[in-house]
Amino acid sequence: MTDRIYFDNAATTPLDPRVWEGMRPHLPQPWGNPSSMHREGREALAAVEAARRQVAELLGAEPGEIVFTSSGTEADNLALQGVLFAAGLRDCHAISSAIEHPAVLACCRHLQRLGVALTLLPVDSQGLVDPADLERALRPETRLVSIMAANNVTGVVQSVEELARISRRHGALFHSDAVQAFGKIPLDVRRVPLDLVSLSAHKLYGPKGVGALYVRRGVSLTPLVHGGGQEEGRRSGTENVAGIVALGAAAELARAEMAAEAARLVQIRDRLIDAIIAMVPNAYLIGDRYCRLPGHICLGLSGMECEAIKLLLELDGLGFAVSSGSACSSHHAGQPSHVLEAMGFDAPRARGSVRITLGRFNTQQEAERFLELFPRAVASLRPLGSLARAG
Ligand code: PLP
């Protein structure tokens, strides 16, 4: 596998060996239950609390404002259902956007069936929510606004600061799904009035199956999972100690390395975008060029939308892991992306994107290797006679 080049860091990231070193001592069984009073239990509890401080620090939060969950999906569900159940569901209005991850959108639909009035904001052709649309959609009974920090398909970063300020001014809580953004771009709850923030370890070089929700002190939340009262009653269930320790270690590394890593990835990303557009005549960038995650590229290939899956398989054969749209898309192969449709793409074009997402372990040399082979892979799929500059 070492000759493989992994450009699908938005789907999941490899475990950082330093994160593995942090979680390893917590894996052997038997190991203490953080709820136990003996030494083993107290040690496990201390490890969980240290991780809580590390995650809190990256967000500028208090440790007590972090609730560990089993995933980003659970964090999103806890935020939306937790706030709206606490508000009584009926007579509540919630606002989200048309481009959210299914963890938010499906949860919104569920809440709608339970009686919550829902508005989904549109996005423009660059994938951005217009703050004026939010301003217009807010009502006196709006309890919650949920807009993602960065999109998993396009990598487009929303101006959550402005959106959160508008929501606060209208008395609505603001949640942001920051699963793609956490540890990649700065998010500071002391400066920005974010009330709830979802995150997930496996997008930040940690393991799968552990996430967290930031809940600003004072926000009322009805738990999704009832039981032994762990996480101050907000999420019952014996803690995934090793996973939580890993998430803490991942957050600590991101805090130390985020600025330098982002600058490095932006360079490689922009080199890839410019070179691909110069070499492959029908390639175009999807989503705002500048409001985007440092390592995230989403490409369209006009006239070849139906060939996107073939192209991914061709690249896979050449040793590159890239994706179409999102990790979920393998469950919905051939279906248009709801994100691209919301950006105004027609169904054929909304089916045919290629997502290249760079991460901590990618290098400039890997990008150059990709640039050697990508135009050829595209050309190999084109009908004869339509080849232009692809070399
Ligand atoms: N939200 C976004 C924006 C995501 O990209 C993902 C995963 O792809 C999730 C939520 C779900 O996170 P998890 O895989 O931890 O359930």
Side-chain angles (χ1 to χ4, degrees):
M1 288 292 282
T2 47
D3 57 342
R4 298 272 305 166
I5 294 182
Y6 184 76
F7 279 171
D8 197 13
N9 287 275
T12 195
T13 46
L15 194 65
D16 189 309
R18 296 168 294 177
V19 171
W20 168 238
E21 281 311 312
M23 73 187 283
R24 206 154 60 111
H26 298 274
L27 283 170
Q29 299 294 329
W31 185 252
N33 181 329
S35 297
S36 303
M37 292 180 71
H38 45 63
R39 190 198 320 163
E40 287 78 358
R42 290 196 306 274
E43 283 173 2
L45 181 63
V48 167
E49 293 313 313
R52 202 184 302 282
R53 286 194 292 278
Q54 289 169 313
V55 173
E57 195 132 347
L58 184 49
L59 283 171
E62 296 295 323
E65 295 174 313
I66 303 299
V67 180
F68 289 115
T69 64
S70 68
S71 59
T73 300
E74 188 191 328
D76 284 338
N77 275 263
L78 179 57
L80 273 68
Q81 297 194 51
V83 164
L84 291 163
F85 270 85
L89 289 180
R90 296 201 169 267
D91 305 322
C92 287
H93 175 235
I95 299 174
S96 189
S97 83
I99 58 161
E100 299 295 314
H101 188 274
V104 167
L105 277 183
C107 187
C108 282
R109 297 287 180 214
H110 173 62
L111 287 160
Q112 203 176 20
R113 284 190 293 273
L114 296 176
V116 172
L118 175 70
T119 302
L120 290 184
L121 299 178
V123 291
D124 65 15
S125 62
Q126 301 307 301
L128 289 162
V129 171
D130 182 347
D133 284 338
L134 173 60
E135 191 95 51
R136 276 190 291 274
L138 280 152
R139 308 179 193 162
E141 67 276 17
T142 308
R143 296 280 165 270
L144 182 67
V145 176
S146 177
I147 311 275
M148 67 201 319
N151 185 266
N152 47 299
V153 176
T154 60
V156 169
V157 172
Q158 302 294 332
S159 54
V160 285
E161 176 164 357
E162 189 176 357
L163 299 166
R165 286 193 195 290
I166 293 171
S167 304
R168 165 92 36 115
R169 218 170 41 239
H170 287 260
L173 295 175
F174 189 88
H175 165 248
S176 192
D177 173 343
V179 166
Q180 292 290 341
F182 179 68
K184 315 275 173 58
I185 54 174
L187 286 170
D188 187 341
V189 299
R190 285 167 303 201
R191 210 174 50 74
V192 181
L194 300 165
D195 297 301
L196 303 116
V197 180
S198 303
L199 51 108
S200 178
H202 77 102
K203 310 289 186 183
L204 197 63
Y205 314 97
K208 292 159 192 62
V210 58
L213 180 67
Y214 158 77
V215 187
R216 189 178 288 281
R217 190 156 302 289
V219 170
S220 300
L221 208 63
T222 299
L224 284 182
V225 184
H226 302 267
Q230 289 89 345
E231 298 294 296
E232 293 184 14
R234 294 170 295 186
R235 200 277 182 180
S236 287
T238 300
E239 297 85 343
N240 169 5
V241 176
I244 288 170
V245 167
L247 173 52
E252 174 92 41
L253 286 171
R255 199 163 65 88
E257 298 176 1
M258 181 163 56
E261 188 172 318
R264 188 183 74 86
L265 289 179
V266 163
Q267 268 199 341
I268 305 178
R269 178 197 73 186
D270 289 349
R271 157 86 179 128
L272 279 170
I273 293 173
D274 292 338
I276 289 171
I277 287 173
M279 286 194 284
V280 181
N282 58 334
Y284 58 94
L285 182 68
I286 296 175
D288 192 275
R289 170 88 202 226
Y290 302 103
C291 301
R292 73 172 43 247
L293 288 172
H296 203 118
I297 301 170
C298 184
L299 289 176
L301 292 165
S302 49
M304 292 186 63
E305 290 79 8
C306 303
E307 313 288 340
I309 302 287
K310 269 199 238 164
L311 178 59
L312 300 193
L313 296 176
E314 177 75 18
L315 289 167
D316 190 38
L318 292 171
F320 297 99
V322 302
S323 135
S324 80
S326 78
C328 313
S329 63
S330 65
H331 302 302
H332 305 282
Q335 285 185 21
S337 151
H338 70 282
V339 175
L340 302 189
E341 285 190 319
M343 290 165 68
F345 286 53
D346 57 21
R349 284 201 312 145
R351 266 190 208 105
S353 66
V354 176
R355 186 180 70 172
I356 301 158
T357 48
L358 313 169
R360 182 175 292 165
F361 302 109
N362 292 127
T363 62
Q364 185 74 51
Q365 287 82 341
E366 289 179 337
E368 297 307 326
R369 177 91 188 118
F370 185 76
L371 289 174
E372 272 168 39
L373 296 177
F374 183 71
R376 274 188 243 163
V378 175
S380 73
L381 299 177
R382 274 192 213 162
L384 286 176
S386 69
L387 301 180
R389 272 176 290 149

